Amino acid sequence: MKLKLLVCILSVVCLQSCRQESEVKTFFISHNAQQSHPVHQGIVKLQEVLEEKSNGKLVVKIFPDAQLGSEREVLELLQIGSVAIAKVSAATLSNFVPEYNVLAIPYVFRDKAHKFSVLEGSVGKEILEKGSDFWLRGLCYYDAGSRSFYTKTKAIRTPEDLKGLKIRVMNDQMSINMVNALGGSATPMAYGELYTAIQQGVVDGAENNAPSFVSSNHYEVSKYYTLDEHSSIPDVLVISTKWWDTLTEEEQQWLQEAADASAEAQKEYWRLSVLESMKIAKESGVEIIVPEKSLFAEKTESVLENFETDYPDLSPLVNRIKAVK
């Protein structure tokens, strides 16, 4: 990581000196997805639109596959201005900007339409702007689908089926509380270790969206996928305010318009990716289960209650989300 940081800093210094001569501004954009992923495709769209709108004055250099570090490491690089833009999960961003925590509450969104009404409306934009207080200005949201349970040997049809099962979760208190509230045993674990852990029975299953379930090859060792859709945590495209503040109003407008165009395109890329992933899973013998989601939502109400106790200042934000039509 120290080598990556040094390379980034030296590159930025070089770019700053080059700008004085050429007036071309080059943005480093980092993300942790593969180049075939809808996230990368969305950022390529941003790259194309931005260079066209700016007539080549604003140029994008994309670093996929976590080349510049983990999401948390890259956010720290953004805060000091060594990287310009990054795509990160709202769950990771919540460690820096508390308001993003509300987007991870189980079943905070009624459905996909409600989710995008929130994210693309005044509430979502307000949360994006809150990041500026921490040098992390949000540009737009990317669709990351909904997370659902998948298991190796036992199908999850109701919350009761989770009792006694070890379920891998992100190292995030919200995720841990959710699984425990449903009766499972939340087991934080590095994502890279999960395939072997399921295969060897260290854990009984995990939870994630369909494209991740397939791209990780977890469908090979987990033959039940339950579409309970307990959380719909979006990805966020974030720019360092140290970069944003160097842009003219016109350049800021170009960048925001390019980000908005990329978000719209990425939603379609994501939709197609979900369809393809579900097809692969079914053809590989995975049983797709569509449960009664209200049963799971009822069991996770305590997670919201605990959240409002821990973050009383954010309760009004939760109520505003619920009120969005």
Side-chain angles (χ1 to χ4, degrees), residues 294-315:
S294 64
L295 299 177
F296 292 80
E298 290 169 5
K299 286 283 188 178
T300 59
E301 288 177 356
S302 62
V303 178
L304 174 58
E305 293 169 1
N306 291 335
F307 175 84
E308 292 180 324
T309 298
D310 294 338
Y311 298 94
D313 293 343
L314 296 182
S315 289

Side-chain angles (χ1 to χ4, degrees), residues 84 122 133 152 240 260 273 291:
S122 60
D133 297 339
K152 180 181 180 181
S240 165
D260 292 341
S273 179

Side-chain angles (χ1 to χ4, degrees), residues 184-205:
S185 177
T187 308
M189 177 183 295
Y191 193 62
E193 301 172 2
L194 183 52
Y195 184 99
T196 302
I198 296 174
Q199 187 179 46
Q200 297 180 350
V202 176
V203 294
D204 299 294

Side-chain angles (χ1 to χ4, degrees), residues 31 102 113 141 146 168 252 294:
H31 69 81
V102 301
Y141 297 96
S146 297
R168 180 268 175 185
Q252 290 177 349
S294 64

Side-chain angles (χ1 to χ4, degrees), residues 215-284:
S215 64
S216 62
N217 295 320
H218 292 169
Y219 71 98
E220 296 176 349
V221 291
S222 301
K223 292 305 178 181
Y224 300 98
Y225 191 36
T226 302
L227 301 181
D228 64 295
E229 299 180 329
H230 46 260
S231 63
S232 299
I233 307 171
D235 284 335
V236 188
L237 203 61
V238 184
I239 184 170
S240 165
T241 56
K242 295 183 182 298
W243 281 74
W244 178 261
D245 293 342
T246 66
L247 303 178
T248 66
E249 288 187 11
E250 184 179 39
E251 289 171 337
Q252 290 177 349
Q253 182 177 344
W254 289 337
L255 179 56
Q256 187 61 62
E257 289 176 352
D260 292 341
S262 76
E264 196 61 32
Q266 191 270 345
K267 281 198 290 187
E268 178 62 12
Y269 300 145
W270 183 266
R271 185 185 71 82
L272 295 174
S273 179
V274 169
L275 291 176
E276 179 63 20
S277 298
M278 294 296 284
K279 178 183 177 183
I280 291 172
K282 289 178 181 177
E283 291 177 349
S284 300

Side-chain angles (χ1 to χ4, degrees), residues 64-125:
D65 298 308
Q67 291 178 25
L68 300 184
S70 67
E71 288 191 344
R72 186 180 184 93
E73 289 168 337
V74 170
L75 283 171
E76 292 171 353
L77 293 178
L78 259 70
Q79 288 183 313
I80 62 175
S82 294
V83 176
I85 300 173
K87 188 290 301 176
V88 298
S89 170
T92 306
L93 197 49
S94 68
N95 293 306
F96 297 78
V97 186
E99 284 76 9
Y100 282 101
N101 278 294
V102 301
L103 304 181
I105 297 171
Y107 299 104
V108 70
F109 302 120
R110 294 188 296 273
D111 50 36
K112 190 170 184 177
H114 179 233
K115 176 176 72 173
F116 282 111
S117 292
V118 171
L119 297 181
E120 295 170 358
S122 60
V123 174
K125 291 176 181 177

Side-chain angles (χ1 to χ4, degrees), residues 44 55 139 151 157 200 210 235 282 285 291 295:
V44 169
N55 197 26
L139 290 171
T151 46
R157 304 183 191 281
Q200 297 180 350
D235 284 335
K282 289 178 181 177
L295 299 177

